[in-house]
Amino acid sequence: MDIAQARTFLTVADTGSFVDAARRMNITQSTVSARIKSLEELLGRVLFERSKAGAVLTPAGHQFQRHALALIRIWQQAQVEVTLADELRDHLSIGAELSLWDGLGLRWLSWLRRTVPDLSLSAVVAAPRVLTERLLEGTLDLAILYRPEPPPGLVVEHLFEEELVLVSSVRSGGRRRAGEYAFVDWGPDFRADHAAALPKMTNASLKLEIGSLALDYLLANPASAYLPMRLAKPALAKRQLRLVSRARKFRYPVAMVFPEERDEEAFEPLLQGLRRVADRLR
C-alpha cells in the first residue's frame, strides 16, 4: 500500500463520493476507483458500500480509517524529520490537552527553544484518547494528560496535582444574577465529577469549551466558573477574581506520558526540563 491509496481512501470517506473525491484530488474518477480497488484487494475486505447515492464506509472501512490517518501522520512526520535532518539535531513531537498548554506546556516549549535551539519541535492539542493513540503509533513523543491510564508500552510519570476552584468576578456582597455561573468543560473526568457533586449547576445556561480562555471571559464579565488554581492565582492576587467560600474543589493528577522504548540519553534532559517547569506550579 502507498500513501496515495491512503489519501484517496480518506478523501472518499470524507466526501462520501468517488466523483467528489476525484474533483477534490484533481484526478480522474477511474484513478480513484482503481486505488480503492487495489486497497481492498490488498486488505481482503470491502471498504465502501457503493450506490447511486455515493459511497459509505463498511465496518471494515471504519476500522481501517484510523489506521489510514495514522499512516498519513507517520508519513508527514517522516517528511519533516528527513527534510530537517541536515539542519537540526532531532525532532520532538509534543501533545497535551488544551488547558495543560497554558502555564505548563508553553513554558516547557519556551525552555526547549532556549536550551536546545537545534531541536525541531511540533506541538498539538487533542483529546486524551487521540494523544494516547498517537503515542502508540509513534507520531507523538510525549503527552501531558490529566489522570492518564495508558495501555502497556507507555510510561506515566506524575507531575503535580491540578486543583480546580470556583472563582468569581462578581463583586463580593453584590446582587447575584441568574445565569452568572459558566460551566467550563475541563474534560470527561471533570464533567462526571461535577455532575455528581453539583447536579443543579451542570445545566448552566452558559457552557464554555474554551479551556483557559474562560479566564478572559470572567475578567471581562461578571460571572463565576471553575478554573485551575495555577491559572487563577494572578487574578486572585490582583483582586480581579475572588474565591467562592466553601465551594467544592476538584483535584486531578497531571502526568507526562511517553513510550517505554526511547533514547534515554537524549530524552532524559528534555524530561528534566519539564519536571522543573512543573515543580514551579506546585
Side-chain angles (χ1 to χ4, degrees):
M1 186 183 64
D2 59 33
I3 296 301
Q5 289 176 325
R7 290 189 191 279
T8 304
F9 167 82
L10 290 171
T11 306
V12 174
D14 185 45
T15 60
S17 164
F18 279 48
V19 175
D20 291 342
R23 290 196 189 111
R24 180 180 293 185
M25 300 185 73
N26 198 28
I27 57 178
T28 64
Q29 184 181 342
S30 60
T31 299
V32 171
S33 298
R35 288 177 181 175
I36 297 301
K37 181 180 179 182
S38 176
L39 188 56
E40 290 178 327
E41 290 175 350
L42 186 64
L43 294 171
R45 293 290 186 276
V46 175
L47 301 176
F48 292 100
E49 292 180 1
R50 286 86 155 172
S51 69
K52 291 182 179 179
V56 178
L57 286 170
T58 63
H62 280 291
Q63 280 291 102
F64 180 67
Q65 190 172 25
R66 65 188 183 91
H67 296 295
L69 287 166
L71 286 168
I72 297 299
R73 285 197 294 263
I74 291 170
W75 173 247
Q76 290 172 338
Q77 183 167 331
Q79 286 180 305
V80 169
E81 294 184 11
V82 170
T83 301
L84 297 173
D86 294 335
E87 304 172 17
L88 300 170
R89 183 175 68 182
D90 207 343
H91 177 263
L92 184 70
S93 181
I94 310 161
E97 298 180 56
L98 178 60
S99 61
L100 290 172
W101 274 113
D102 197 347
L104 176 62
L106 287 177
R107 289 184 184 180
W108 183 44
L109 201 62
S110 298
W111 179 87
L112 288 168
R113 295 300 290 165
R114 292 193 308 270
T115 310
V116 199
D118 60 345
L119 181 67
S120 168
L121 296 167
S122 59
V124 300
V125 172
R129 178 186 59 79
V130 175
L131 294 173
T132 301
E133 287 178 357
R134 292 195 58 177
L135 284 168
L136 290 171
E137 73 190 26
T139 59
L140 203 62
D141 298 305
L142 183 141
I144 307 172
L145 301 168
Y146 287 117
R147 198 183 284 174
E149 295 181 3
L154 298 177
V155 177
V156 176
E157 182 178 320
H158 179 79
L159 290 172
F160 63 94
E161 289 288 322
E162 182 86 286
E163 184 179 55
L164 294 175
V165 295
L166 184 60
V167 296
S168 178
S169 56
V170 179
R171 183 167 51 87
S172 181
R175 184 178 178 183
R176 294 183 60 115
R177 301 178 183 177
E180 76 170 34
Y181 178 70
F183 175 80
V184 184
D185 190 347
W186 296 108
D189 287 336
F190 176 72
R191 287 197 298 271
D193 293 344
H194 186 281
L198 305 167
K200 293 181 180 179
M201 296 171 67
T202 298
N203 295 318
S205 60
L206 177 60
K207 295 185 178 182
L208 304 175
E209 296 185 21
I210 57 176
S212 56
L213 290 175
L215 173 60
D216 294 332
Y217 179 84
L218 260 66
L219 294 177
N221 302 275
S224 59
Y226 274 94
L227 297 178
M229 175 58 89
R230 62 186 171 85
L231 299 181
K233 269 183 180 179
L236 289 168
K238 295 176 183 177
R239 297 187 179 180
Q240 295 170 303
L241 295 176
R242 62 180 177 83
L243 279 173
V244 178
S245 60
R246 296 189 295 277
R248 169 70 184 272
K249 296 179 180 179
F250 300 91
R251 291 181 175 84
Y252 301 98
V254 176
M256 57 178 170
V257 185
F258 47 88
E260 288 180 353
E261 298 294 327
R262 61 191 185 282
D263 183 348
E264 291 196 27
E265 184 178 352
F267 208 52
E268 183 56 31
L270 308 183
L271 297 182
Q272 193 58 40
L274 178 54
R275 293 185 190 107
R276 284 197 288 269
V277 171
D279 283 344
R280 298 190 188 105
L281 301 176
R282 294 180 190 273

Coordinates of all heavy atoms in Angstrom, one line a residue, residues 39-92:
L39 N -6.6 -1.2 -2.9 CA -6.5 -1.3 -1.5 C -7.4 -2.4 -0.9 O -7.0 -3.1 0.0 CB -6.9 0.1 -0.9 CG -6.8 0.4 0.6 CD1 -5.3 0.2 1.0 CD2 -7.2 1.8 0.9
E40 N -8.6 -2.5 -1.4 CA -9.5 -3.6 -0.9 C -8.9 -5.0 -1.2 O -9.0 -5.9 -0.4 CB -10.9 -3.4 -1.6 CG -11.6 -2.2 -1.1 CD -13.0 -2.0 -1.8 OE1 -13.1 -2.3 -3.0 OE2 -13.9 -1.5 -1.1
E41 N -8.3 -5.1 -2.4 CA -7.7 -6.4 -2.7 C -6.5 -6.7 -1.7 O -6.3 -7.8 -1.3 CB -7.2 -6.4 -4.1 CG -8.3 -6.4 -5.2 CD -7.8 -6.3 -6.6 OE1 -6.6 -6.0 -6.8 OE2 -8.6 -6.5 -7.5
L42 N -5.7 -5.6 -1.4 CA -4.6 -5.8 -0.5 C -5.0 -6.2 0.9 O -4.4 -7.0 1.5 CB -3.8 -4.5 -0.5 CG -2.5 -4.5 0.3 CD1 -1.5 -5.4 -0.3 CD2 -1.9 -3.1 0.4
L43 N -6.1 -5.6 1.3 CA -6.7 -5.8 2.7 C -7.6 -7.1 2.7 O -7.8 -7.6 3.8 CB -7.4 -4.6 3.2 CG -6.6 -3.4 3.5 CD1 -7.4 -2.2 3.8 CD2 -5.6 -3.6 4.6
G44 N -8.1 -7.4 1.6 CA -9.0 -8.6 1.6 C -10.4 -8.3 2.1 O -11.1 -9.2 2.6
R45 N -10.8 -7.0 2.1 CA -12.0 -6.6 2.7 C -12.6 -5.4 1.8 O -11.9 -4.6 1.2 CB -11.9 -6.0 4.1 CG -11.5 -7.1 5.2 CD -12.7 -8.0 5.4 NE -12.3 -8.9 6.5 CZ -11.7 -10.1 6.4 NH1 -11.2 -10.4 5.2 NH2 -11.4 -10.8 7.4
V46 N -13.9 -5.4 1.7 CA -14.6 -4.3 1.0 C -14.7 -3.1 2.0 O -15.1 -3.3 3.2 CB -16.1 -4.7 0.6 CG1 -16.8 -3.5 0.0 CG2 -16.0 -5.9 -0.4
L47 N -14.2 -2.0 1.6 CA -14.1 -0.8 2.4 C -15.3 0.2 2.3 O -15.6 0.9 3.2 CB -12.8 -0.1 2.2 CG -11.6 -0.9 2.4 CD1 -10.3 -0.1 2.0 CD2 -11.4 -1.3 3.8
F48 N -16.0 0.1 1.1 CA -17.1 1.0 0.9 C -18.3 0.3 0.3 O -18.1 -0.7 -0.5 CB -16.7 2.1 -0.2 CG -15.7 3.1 0.4 CD1 -14.4 3.0 0.0 CD2 -16.1 4.2 1.2 CE1 -13.4 3.9 0.5 CE2 -15.2 5.1 1.7 CZ -13.8 5.0 1.3
E49 N -19.5 0.7 0.7 CA -20.7 0.2 0.0 C -21.1 1.2 -1.0 O -21.3 2.4 -0.7 CB -21.8 0.1 1.1 CG -21.6 -1.1 2.1 CD -22.7 -1.2 3.1 OE1 -23.7 -0.4 3.0 OE2 -22.6 -2.0 4.0
R50 N -21.0 0.9 -2.3 CA -21.3 1.8 -3.4 C -22.8 1.8 -3.7 O -23.4 0.7 -3.7 CB -20.5 1.4 -4.6 CG -19.0 1.8 -4.6 CD -18.2 0.7 -3.9 NE -16.8 0.7 -4.4 CZ -15.9 0.0 -3.9 NH1 -16.1 -0.9 -2.9 NH2 -14.6 0.0 -4.4
S51 N -23.3 2.9 -4.0 CA -24.7 3.0 -4.5 C -24.8 4.3 -5.4 O -23.8 5.1 -5.4 CB -25.6 3.1 -3.4 OG -25.5 4.3 -2.7
K52 N -25.9 4.5 -6.0 CA -26.1 5.8 -6.7 C -26.0 7.0 -5.8 O -25.7 8.1 -6.3 CB -27.5 5.7 -7.4 CG -27.5 4.7 -8.5 CD -28.9 4.7 -9.2 CE -29.0 3.7 -10.4 NZ -30.3 3.7 -11.0
A53 N -26.3 6.8 -4.6 CA -26.2 8.0 -3.6 C -24.8 8.3 -3.2 O -24.5 9.4 -2.7 CB -27.1 7.7 -2.4
G54 N -23.8 7.4 -3.4 CA -22.5 7.7 -3.1 C -21.8 6.5 -2.5 O -22.1 5.3 -2.9
A55 N -20.8 6.7 -1.6 CA -20.0 5.6 -1.0 C -20.0 5.8 0.5 O -19.8 6.8 1.0 CB -18.6 5.7 -1.5
V56 N -20.4 4.7 1.2 CA -20.5 4.7 2.7 C -19.5 3.6 3.2 O -19.4 2.5 2.7 CB -21.9 4.4 3.1 CG1 -21.9 4.3 4.7 CG2 -22.9 5.4 2.6
L57 N -18.8 4.0 4.3 CA -17.8 3.0 4.9 C -18.5 1.8 5.4 O -19.6 1.9 6.0 CB -17.1 3.7 6.0 CG -16.0 4.8 5.6 CD1 -15.6 5.5 6.9 CD2 -14.8 4.1 4.9
T58 N -17.9 0.6 5.1 CA -18.3 -0.6 5.7 C -17.7 -0.7 7.1 O -16.9 0.1 7.5 CB -17.9 -1.8 4.9 OG1 -16.4 -1.8 4.9 CG2 -18.4 -1.7 3.4
P59 N -18.1 -1.7 7.9 CA -17.4 -1.9 9.2 C -15.9 -2.0 9.1 O -15.2 -1.4 9.9 CB -18.1 -3.2 9.8 CG -19.5 -3.2 9.2 CD -19.3 -2.6 7.8
A60 N -15.5 -2.7 8.0 CA -14.0 -2.8 7.8 C -13.4 -1.5 7.4 O -12.3 -1.2 7.8 CB -13.8 -3.8 6.7
G61 N -14.2 -0.7 6.7 CA -13.7 0.7 6.3 C -13.6 1.5 7.5 O -12.6 2.3 7.6
H62 N -14.5 1.5 8.4 CA -14.4 2.2 9.7 C -13.2 1.8 10.5 O -12.5 2.7 11.1 CB -15.7 2.1 10.5 CG -16.8 2.9 10.1 ND1 -16.9 4.3 10.2 CD2 -18.0 2.5 9.5 CE1 -18.0 4.7 9.7 NE2 -18.7 3.7 9.3
Q63 N -12.9 0.5 10.5 CA -11.7 0.0 11.2 C -10.4 0.5 10.6 O -9.5 0.9 11.3 CB -11.7 -1.5 11.3 CG -12.6 -2.1 12.3 CD -12.1 -1.9 13.7 OE1 -12.6 -1.0 14.4 NE2 -11.1 -2.6 14.1
F64 N -10.4 0.5 9.3 CA -9.2 1.0 8.6 C -9.0 2.5 8.6 O -7.9 2.9 8.5 CB -9.3 0.5 7.1 CG -8.1 0.9 6.3 CD1 -6.8 0.3 6.6 CD2 -8.2 1.8 5.3 CE1 -5.7 0.7 5.8 CE2 -7.0 2.2 4.6 CZ -5.8 1.6 4.8
Q65 N -10.0 3.2 8.8 CA -9.9 4.7 8.8 C -8.9 5.2 9.7 O -8.1 6.1 9.4 CB -11.3 5.3 9.1 CG -11.4 6.8 8.8 CD -12.8 7.4 8.9 OE1 -13.6 6.8 9.6 NE2 -13.0 8.5 8.2
R66 N -8.9 4.8 11.0 CA -7.9 5.3 11.9 C -6.5 4.9 11.6 O -5.6 5.6 11.8 CB -8.3 4.9 13.4 CG -8.2 3.4 13.7 CD -8.8 3.1 15.0 NE -8.7 1.7 15.4 CZ -7.6 1.2 16.0 NH1 -6.6 2.0 16.4 NH2 -7.6 -0.1 16.3
H67 N -6.4 3.7 11.0 CA -5.0 3.3 10.5 C -4.5 4.1 9.4 O -3.3 4.4 9.3 CB -5.0 1.8 10.2 CG -5.3 0.9 11.3 ND1 -4.5 0.8 12.4 CD2 -6.4 0.1 11.6 CE1 -5.0 -0.1 13.3 NE2 -6.2 -0.5 12.8
A68 N -5.5 4.5 8.5 CA -5.1 5.3 7.4 C -4.6 6.7 7.8 O -3.7 7.3 7.3 CB -6.3 5.5 6.4
L69 N -5.3 7.2 8.8 CA -5.0 8.5 9.4 C -3.6 8.4 10.1 O -2.8 9.4 9.9 CB -6.0 9.0 10.5 CG -7.3 9.4 9.9 CD1 -8.4 9.5 11.0 CD2 -7.2 10.8 9.2
A70 N -3.3 7.3 10.7 CA -2.0 7.1 11.4 C -0.9 7.0 10.3 O 0.2 7.6 10.5 CB -2.0 5.9 12.2
L71 N -1.2 6.4 9.2 CA -0.2 6.2 8.1 C 0.2 7.6 7.6 O 1.3 7.9 7.3 CB -0.7 5.3 7.0 CG -0.7 3.8 7.3 CD1 -1.6 3.1 6.3 CD2 0.7 3.3 7.4
I72 N -0.8 8.5 7.4 CA -0.6 9.8 6.8 C 0.2 10.6 7.8 O 1.2 11.3 7.4 CB -1.9 10.5 6.5 CG1 -2.7 9.8 5.4 CG2 -1.7 12.0 6.1 CD1 -2.0 9.7 4.1
R73 N -0.1 10.5 9.1 CA 0.6 11.3 10.1 C 2.1 10.8 10.2 O 3.0 11.6 10.3 CB 0.0 11.1 11.5 CG -1.3 11.9 11.7 CD -1.6 12.1 13.1 NE -2.0 10.8 13.7 CZ -3.2 10.4 13.9 NH1 -4.3 11.1 13.5 NH2 -3.5 9.2 14.5
I74 N 2.3 9.5 10.1 CA 3.7 9.0 10.2 C 4.5 9.4 8.9 O 5.6 9.8 9.0 CB 3.6 7.4 10.2 CG1 3.1 7.0 11.6 CG2 5.0 6.8 10.0 CD1 2.8 5.5 11.6
W75 N 3.8 9.4 7.8 CA 4.5 9.9 6.6 C 4.8 11.4 6.6 O 5.9 11.8 6.3 CB 3.6 9.6 5.4 CG 4.1 10.2 4.1 CD1 3.5 11.2 3.3 CD2 5.3 9.8 3.4 NE1 4.3 11.4 2.2 CE2 5.4 10.6 2.2 CE3 6.3 8.8 3.6 CZ2 6.4 10.5 1.3 CZ3 7.3 8.7 2.7 CH2 7.4 9.5 1.6
Q76 N 3.9 12.2 7.1 CA 4.1 13.6 7.3 C 5.3 13.9 8.2 O 6.1 14.7 8.0 CB 2.9 14.3 7.7 CG 1.8 14.4 6.7 CD 0.5 14.9 7.2 OE1 0.2 14.9 8.4 NE2 -0.4 15.4 6.3
Q77 N 5.3 13.1 9.4 CA 6.4 13.3 10.3 C 7.7 12.9 9.7 O 8.8 13.6 10.0 CB 6.1 12.5 11.6 CG 7.2 12.7 12.7 CD 6.7 12.2 14.0 OE1 5.5 12.2 14.3 NE2 7.7 11.8 14.8
A78 N 7.7 11.8 9.0 CA 9.0 11.4 8.3 C 9.5 12.4 7.4 O 10.7 12.7 7.3 CB 8.7 10.1 7.6
Q79 N 8.6 13.1 6.6 CA 9.0 14.1 5.7 C 9.6 15.3 6.4 O 10.7 15.8 6.0 CB 7.8 14.6 4.9 CG 7.3 13.6 3.8 CD 6.1 14.2 3.1 OE1 5.1 14.5 3.7 NE2 6.2 14.3 1.8
V80 N 9.0 15.7 7.5 CA 9.6 16.8 8.3 C 11.0 16.4 8.8 O 11.9 17.2 8.7 CB 8.6 17.1 9.5 CG1 9.3 18.1 10.5 CG2 7.3 17.7 9.0
E81 N 11.1 15.3 9.4 CA 12.4 14.9 10.0 C 13.5 14.7 9.0 O 14.6 15.1 9.2 CB 12.2 13.6 10.9 CG 11.3 13.8 12.1 CD 11.2 12.6 12.9 OE1 12.0 11.6 12.7 OE2 10.3 12.6 13.8
V82 N 13.1 14.1 7.9 CA 14.2 13.9 6.8 C 14.6 15.3 6.2 O 15.7 15.5 6.0 CB 13.6 13.0 5.7 CG1 14.6 13.0 4.5 CG2 13.5 11.6 6.3
T83 N 13.6 16.2 6.0 CA 13.9 17.5 5.4 C 14.8 18.3 6.3 O 15.7 19.0 5.9 CB 12.6 18.3 5.2 OG1 11.7 17.5 4.3 CG2 12.8 19.6 4.6
L84 N 14.6 18.2 7.7 CA 15.4 19.0 8.6 C 16.6 18.3 9.1 O 17.4 18.8 9.9 CB 14.5 19.3 9.8 CG 13.3 20.2 9.5 CD1 12.4 20.3 10.8 CD2 13.7 21.6 9.0
A85 N 16.9 17.1 8.6 CA 18.0 16.3 9.1 C 19.3 16.9 9.0 O 20.2 16.8 9.9 CB 18.0 14.9 8.4
D86 N 19.5 17.7 7.9 CA 20.8 18.3 7.7 C 21.0 19.6 8.6 O 22.1 20.1 8.7 CB 21.0 18.7 6.2 CG 21.1 17.4 5.4 OD1 21.5 16.4 5.9 OD2 20.8 17.5 4.2
E87 N 19.9 20.2 9.0 CA 19.9 21.5 9.7 C 19.8 21.3 11.2 O 20.4 22.1 12.0 CB 18.8 22.4 9.2 CG 18.8 22.6 7.7 CD 17.6 23.3 7.2 OE1 16.9 23.9 8.0 OE2 17.3 23.3 6.0
L88 N 19.0 20.4 11.7 CA 18.7 20.3 13.1 C 19.0 18.9 13.6 O 19.1 17.9 12.9 CB 17.2 20.5 13.3 CG 16.7 21.9 12.9 CD1 15.2 22.0 13.0 CD2 17.3 23.0 13.8
R89 N 19.3 18.8 14.9 CA 19.8 17.6 15.5 C 18.7 16.5 15.6 O 19.0 15.3 15.3 CB 20.2 17.9 17.0 CG 20.8 16.7 17.7 CD 21.4 17.1 19.0 NE 20.4 17.5 20.0 CZ 20.6 17.9 21.2 NH1 21.9 18.0 21.6 NH2 19.6 18.2 22.0
D90 N 17.5 16.9 16.0 CA 16.4 15.9 16.1 C 15.1 16.6 16.1 O 15.0 17.8 16.0 CB 16.6 15.1 17.5 CG 16.0 13.7 17.4 OD1 15.2 13.4 16.5 OD2 16.4 12.9 18.3
H91 N 14.0 15.8 16.2 CA 12.6 16.3 16.2 C 11.9 15.8 17.4 O 12.0 14.6 17.7 CB 11.9 15.9 14.9 CG 10.5 16.4 14.8 ND1 9.4 15.5 15.2 CD2 9.9 17.6 14.5 CE1 8.3 16.2 15.1 NE2 8.6 17.4 14.7
L92 N 11.1 16.6 18.0 CA 10.3 16.2 19.2 C 8.9 16.7 19.0 O 8.6 17.8 18.7 CB 10.8 16.9 20.5 CG 10.2 16.4 21.8 CD1 10.5 15.0 22.1 CD2 10.6 17.4 22.9

